[in-house]
Amino acid sequence: MNYAKSEAKDYARENMRGIWAAALTPFAADYSLDEAGFRRNMRHWLDDLEIDGLFISGKQGEFFSMSLAERKRTFDIAVEETSGKQAGKQGGRAILSCSDQNMDTVLDLARHAQNIGGEYIVVHAPLLHFVTDQDETLFEYYKHISDQVDIGIALWSHPDSGYLMSPELCARIAELPNIVAIKYSVPREMYARLTELAGDKLIVSTASEDDWFDNIVELGWRLYLCSSPPYLLQTKYDRRMRQYTDLAFAGDVAQARAVRDSLEPGRQALKST
């Protein structure tokens, strides 16, 4: 790792920025991991589309269909491809998904990510059964992971868990030393509230490209974490999400809005009527 546990929040604040995309995991005809295809995809996203970071083996990456060895191998490849050490290739960053219902699996993956030089991991809020004190259970869940590893950890709250973690709970978890970010797939009023409560301790983000521009301008966000629009809306020769993001980051709001609106013709039509 490039930082000590006590430095995780500052390191993430400096380096966990820009457009991050959810990586798909390709498989060969025999259902084995297509390593060459995975590398080609990452090179296209990093080199051609200038995406800043990749979310590896999340739900879109089909972690649930892979063995533990395959998940670790995707981590290895991602760290290699984003290390910035390959001549003539664009660097990048990766966040490695250790989500699982089994705590031993979460920790095994987290330790592997840390040992191979990964920068961050993400852990989805677990499904809960027969729980009477949900918030305390979830706090202790993330605290246990935080206690066991030094690597920066991102939370992930999504309706798939059967519940949403409240902004107040997330702010409490954000006090842990190496909790650095959250992919918060919730209504806007909830992530705006969390930004207000814990924006100095936690990088708050969500996966909606529809709201990304507004979140840069209105909430001061600097991280898009993350889904498929960064590669679905862009090509090597048309990188308008990259363009409007950079313009908004630079404070050129009017031009950024014009580029963003050009991706949605219906919005332009409404403005002209």
Side-chain angles (χ1 to χ4, degrees):
M1 285 181 7
N2 297 322
Y3 55 87
K5 186 172 188 172
S6 62
E7 301 167 336
K9 290 183 187 293
D10 289 341
Y11 182 87
R13 184 72 60 182
E14 180 68 24
N15 294 285
M16 202 176 191
R17 301 167 62 88
I19 300 170
W20 292 48
L24 307 176
T25 308
F27 298 93
D30 63 357
Y31 306 112
S32 63
L33 180 64
D34 181 356
E35 294 192 12
F38 194 36
R39 290 182 189 275
R40 285 195 301 272
N41 286 348
M42 284 190 280
R43 296 285 20 120
H44 171 60
W45 296 329
L46 296 170
D47 297 339
D48 297 337
L49 304 186
E50 298 182 356
I51 290 170
D52 297 294
L54 302 175
F55 190 115
I56 303 299
S57 293
K59 284 184 287 189
Q60 290 191 58
E62 299 183 77
F63 77 88
F64 44 81
S65 68
M66 289 188 280
S67 68
L68 187 58
E70 287 174 324
R71 294 179 71 178
K72 288 181 178 180
R73 185 59 184 151
T74 66
F75 289 9
D76 297 340
I77 295 170
V79 170
E80 289 171 13
E81 292 293 333
T82 60
S83 66
K85 297 177 182 177
Q86 300 182 72
K89 294 185 178 180
Q90 177 83 9
R93 299 186 182 278
I95 184 166
L96 311 173
S97 177
C98 301
S99 303
D100 203 89
Q101 282 298 105
N102 184 294
M103 177 62 81
D104 289 341
T105 298
V106 172
L107 292 176
D108 190 3
L109 289 167
R111 292 180 180 121
H112 182 75
Q114 182 170 292
N115 291 339
I116 64 173
E119 289 188 299
Y120 317 102
I121 62 170
V122 59
V123 181
H124 197 292
L127 297 174
L128 297 175
H129 306 282
F130 309 112
V131 173
T132 57
D133 194 345
Q134 179 172 296
D135 281 8
E136 192 63 28
T137 298
L138 290 166
F139 177 80
E140 292 298 331
Y141 176 83
Y142 281 109
K143 182 177 186 301
H144 183 69
I145 299 168
S146 172
D147 287 346
Q148 299 301 310
V149 296
D150 297 335
I151 194 169
I153 302 165
L155 314 176
W156 186 5
S157 182
H158 188 283
D160 283 359
S161 297
Y163 60 88
L164 296 174
M165 296 197 298
S166 69
E168 291 73 20
L169 172 62
C170 295
R172 181 186 174 200
I173 297 171
E175 297 290 339
L176 298 170
N178 54 331
I179 299 294
V180 301
I182 183 169
K183 181 178 179 179
Y184 206 25
S185 303
V186 300
R188 194 168 195 267
E189 59 268 21
M190 290 181 68
Y191 63 68
R193 172 64 173 158
L194 180 56
T195 303
E196 177 185 358
L197 286 175
D200 60 333
K201 301 180 184 70
L202 190 70
I203 303 170
V204 184
S205 187
T206 196
S208 172
E209 190 275 330
D210 288 345
D211 296 327
W212 172 227
F213 170 79
D214 293 333
N215 291 336
I216 297 171
V217 174
E218 297 172 13
L219 301 179
W221 283 14
R222 291 295 181 268
L223 175 66
Y224 178 86
L225 187 71
C226 62
S227 55
S228 54
Y231 49 81
L232 291 180
L233 296 179
Q234 302 190 109
T235 71
K236 181 177 181 178
Y237 305 102
D238 183 350
R239 298 190 293 263
R240 275 178 281 174
M241 187 177 179
R242 171 85 273 162
Q243 185 181 1
Y244 82 68
T245 296
D246 290 343
L247 287 166
F249 282 178
D252 192 344
V253 174
Q255 185 61 26
R257 180 179 285 110
V259 175
R260 187 279 310 267
D261 289 354
S262 72
L263 286 168
E264 189 174 345
R267 183 182 280 128
Q268 288 188 311
L270 286 173
K271 290 172 63 178
S272 63
T273 57

